[in-house]
Amino acid sequence: MDSDHIMSVGHEFHDHIGYEAHGSQTQYILCLLVGGSLTMQHKEPITLQENMFTLVPAGIPHSLVDGENLEIRWVSFCPTCLGMNEQDPLMTPFRQVRLGAIPALELCKTRVSWTISLFTQLQRMMTNYQPSNAVVLKSLLNLLLYEVQQANQLPLLKQVRSNKVTAALDYIQLNYMHSISLKDVAKAVHTSPSYLATKVKAQTNYSVGQWIIKTRLTQACAKLLHTDKAINTIVYELGWGDTTHFIRQFKKTYGVTPASWRKQQRSE
């Protein structure tokens, strides 16, 4: 497998960046703002200052609004390739962001030099990637995620969604591979379908049905990119009962068929 599909690491400088919209990435992204100021859009604008982490789970739309005098360290990675998932303790901050937490965490100043050294070592290893180094790469990534988890304890991280909406999105994340509906989600979080539908739409800009489809499509992208499984097998594993319907939803979201998307991503 191409090393870029497992992990990519970067160190960037920007005098200024303008608006950029993102939202279909299949990898998880962790950034450390070493210097400067960066404004992101996450339901509402969030301004990051130096020594702050920002993290984006796979498939979560996000936008860069504005940035000045930036120095950024970043890593993007595929948890599946590394034998990880959002249920792992060190992945908890990503899970919280998916459920509505603000994706901005302050790193203790005494941990900055150590954290930068982890990014530096990861980048060196990826420059000369060897499959035999996968265990070491995962260990370095886990050390980074530990630093994020410690930052996660600071008061800066708070929920921007109601408890019912958070519980609903959590239920979808855990059960998307089954045939679930708005009624099932509402029953699981002990509220009425109409109330839940209104709250989810108001607080996330997506319907419950769209969240289910969106979660399945993100996982479908990961399976298309990181496995050689047939399309109909992926459809079955992700809870779709109809391959044609899956292909239609995939093309509506990404503009191409799943087979074409897989070919394009692998060629890149």
Side-chain angles (χ1 to χ4, degrees), residues 120-141:
T120 301
Q121 187 59 36
L122 271 176
Q123 189 167 13
R124 286 174 180 166
M125 293 194 70
M126 290 305 299
T127 300
N128 299 292
Y129 175 76
Q130 298 292 332
S132 59
N133 292 334
V135 174
V136 180
L137 284 171
K138 182 177 179 180
S139 297
L140 289 169
L141 177 63

Side-chain angles (χ1 to χ4, degrees), residues 213-224 229-254 256-259 261-262:
I213 292 172
K214 187 169 149 42
T215 303
R216 286 176 176 165
L217 287 176
T218 298
Q219 297 301 318
C221 286
K223 288 178 179 290
L224 287 167
K229 293 180 178 179
I231 303 297
N232 59 349
T233 300
I234 293 174
V235 169
Y236 174 77
E237 291 180 348
L238 295 179
W240 259 290
D242 186 336
T243 301
T244 301
H245 178 61
F246 163 72
I247 294 174
R248 188 182 302 118
Q249 290 287 349
F250 193 98
K251 189 171 182 179
K252 179 180 179 181
T253 301
Y254 298 109
V256 293
T257 65
W261 186 91
R262 171 185 264 171

Side-chain angles (χ1 to χ4, degrees), residues 82-99:
L82 296 167
M84 303 163 65
N85 60 57
E86 285 187 14
Q87 309 310 311
D88 296 338
L90 289 176
M91 292 289 287
T92 297
F94 283 101
R95 179 176 173 80
Q96 291 177 320
V97 170
R98 185 181 297 281
L99 298 179

Side-chain angles (χ1 to χ4, degrees), residues 89-181:
L90 289 176
M91 292 289 287
T92 297
F94 283 101
R95 179 176 173 80
Q96 291 177 320
V97 170
R98 185 181 297 281
L99 298 179
I102 295 174
L105 311 167
E106 187 174 2
L107 177 63
C108 178
K109 290 183 179 179
T110 61
R111 308 297 293 176
V112 172
S113 295
W114 162 247
T115 302
I116 289 176
S117 73
L118 292 174
F119 276 105
T120 301
Q121 187 59 36
L122 271 176
Q123 189 167 13
R124 286 174 180 166
M125 293 194 70
M126 290 305 299
T127 300
N128 299 292
Y129 175 76
Q130 298 292 332
S132 59
N133 292 334
V135 174
V136 180
L137 284 171
K138 182 177 179 180
S139 297
L140 289 169
L141 177 63
N142 279 337
L143 288 171
L144 265 179
L145 294 178
Y146 175 78
E147 295 301 327
V148 175
Q149 192 177 64
Q150 296 309 297
N152 188 33
Q153 305 303 316
L154 298 177
L156 182 64
L157 187 65
K158 58 184 179 180
Q159 295 293 335
V160 295
R161 295 177 183 148
S162 69
N163 290 337
K164 290 294 185 184
V165 171
T166 297
L169 299 186
D170 195 26
Y171 179 82
I172 291 171
Q173 179 65 26
L174 294 174
N175 295 277
Y176 66 86
M177 72 293 295
H178 304 302
S179 181
I180 58 174
S181 64

Side-chain angles (χ1 to χ4, degrees), residues 1-140:
M1 182 179 295
D2 191 323
S3 61
D4 287 343
H5 292 162
I6 299 173
M7 185 184 298
S8 297
V9 190
H11 183 196
E12 300 181 10
F13 296 85
H14 300 277
D15 292 331
H16 173 78
I17 61 169
Y19 182 83
E20 295 180 13
H22 305 272
S24 61
Q25 83 283 351
T26 62
Q27 295 197 326
Y28 286 62
I29 303 171
L30 168 63
C31 296
L32 174 64
L33 188 61
V34 180
S37 176
L38 176 67
T39 300
M40 296 177 60
Q41 185 72 26
H42 180 81
K43 183 71 174 177
E44 59 187 23
I46 300 166
T47 298
L48 307 172
Q49 303 295 339
E50 66 178 45
N51 301 334
M52 292 178 68
F53 288 117
T54 184
L55 43 157
V56 184
I60 295 297
H62 61 289
S63 301
L64 305 181
V65 178
D66 186 64
E68 298 289 343
N69 303 316
L70 297 171
E71 180 183 357
I72 302 172
R73 298 271 185 170
W74 61 267
V75 57
S76 64
F77 63 97
C78 169
T80 303
C81 297
L82 296 167
M84 303 163 65
N85 60 57
E86 285 187 14
Q87 309 310 311
D88 296 338
L90 289 176
M91 292 289 287
T92 297
F94 283 101
R95 179 176 173 80
Q96 291 177 320
V97 170
R98 185 181 297 281
L99 298 179
I102 295 174
L105 311 167
E106 187 174 2
L107 177 63
C108 178
K109 290 183 179 179
T110 61
R111 308 297 293 176
V112 172
S113 295
W114 162 247
T115 302
I116 289 176
S117 73
L118 292 174
F119 276 105
T120 301
Q121 187 59 36
L122 271 176
Q123 189 167 13
R124 286 174 180 166
M125 293 194 70
M126 290 305 299
T127 300
N128 299 292
Y129 175 76
Q130 298 292 332
S132 59
N133 292 334
V135 174
V136 180
L137 284 171
K138 182 177 179 180
S139 297
L140 289 169

Side-chain angles (χ1 to χ4, degrees), residues 198-215:
T198 300
K199 288 296 184 182
V200 170
K201 182 68 173 180
Q203 294 183 28
T204 72
N205 295 322
Y206 293 97
S207 69
V208 170
Q210 287 173 323
W211 267 105
I212 294 170
I213 292 172
K214 187 169 149 42
T215 303

